[in-house]
Amino acid sequence: GRWWNHAWTVKVDPDAVFFPQRLKVRLYPYYTAGVVDGPARYVANCDKSWNGEPYELKVFGSLEVFTRNAVGMYKAFNKRCMDNLEWKRWGEDYYMQECMKLLNVEVVNGVSFLADNSCYPGACGDTTKVAYHPYKDVGAYLACWGQSDAAPPAPTQQMAVLMK
């Protein structure tokens, strides 16, 4: 498919306000511009703990990000995931997270990328975020987009600190 011609594949929920250029900047440390072939990686965007469980990186489905070779690993070895994981009652985000772990795909800590009310909420004016979720009402969605688009951009130095 067309995904093979790109360094990253991104899936965004329709109720997530998304700024692709910000994501591109946040991903710079993980690939060389213009190079599509690199390590298999995926971005985990939440590390919150519930009910005393240990803190660990998780994929929240409002923003799912995979390198070309992570998608390639899934394409080549998804049967291993289907056969070895108890996936039938899982959401697609948890399934992909667990499949990537099973396939030993490297995880990128993208907790600071996302403002999601299900993990860590954030204000639309915080331009260090690449996506804000959920905005199910059209008016609220457009208001968030407008506020974030009009806010001063995060300084490159601040973005670099968040990427470490």
Side-chain angles (χ1 to χ4, degrees):
R2 291 186 299 166
W3 59 271
W4 195 248
N5 298 319
H6 302 280
W8 297 88
T9 295
V10 180
K11 178 251 158 196
V12 182
D13 279 358
D15 62 343
V17 178
F18 175 55
F19 291 86
Q21 185 60 31
R22 292 181 196 167
L23 179 61
K24 185 177 179 180
V25 170
R26 297 301 290 274
L27 295 176
Y28 281 159
Y30 305 103
Y31 74 102
T32 303
V35 176
V36 295
D37 194 25
R41 293 178 171 147
Y42 70 101
V43 176
N45 51 31
C46 183
D47 66 356
K48 193 171 181 179
S49 172
W50 289 271
N51 303 317
E53 68 184 17
Y55 288 92
E56 69 173 322
L57 290 170
K58 303 168 188 67
V59 174
F60 270 43
S62 55
L63 178 69
E64 297 178 49
V65 184
F66 304 90
T67 62
R68 171 185 117 145
N69 286 334
V71 176
M73 288 282 290
Y74 178 74
K75 184 175 182 195
F77 300 110
N78 71 73
K79 185 167 178 8
R80 189 181 307 167
C81 297
M82 303 282 276
D83 292 344
N84 292 297
L85 297 172
E86 298 293 325
W87 58 271
K88 291 187 178 167
R89 294 186 178 181
W90 296 350
E92 107 287 331
D93 49 358
Y94 187 70
Y95 169 78
M96 287 303 290
Q97 167 190 300
E98 295 303 303
C99 184
M100 293 290 109
K101 285 185 195 176
L102 182 71
L103 299 177
N104 294 313
V105 174
E106 182 183 344
V107 64
V108 171
N109 184 339
V111 171
S112 64
F113 292 17
L114 179 65
D116 191 314
N117 289 347
S118 296
C119 186
Y120 297 116
C124 294
D126 179 357
T127 56
T128 65
K129 305 301 183 197
V130 304
Y132 310 86
H133 181 258
Y135 287 89
K136 301 197 179 287
D137 172 81
V138 173
Y141 179 100
L142 292 174
C144 180
W145 186 90
Q147 181 183 357
S148 190
D149 189 54
T156 305
Q157 184 177 11
Q158 183 181 358
M159 295 294 278
V161 167
L162 290 170
M163 291 186 270
K164 292 182 180 178

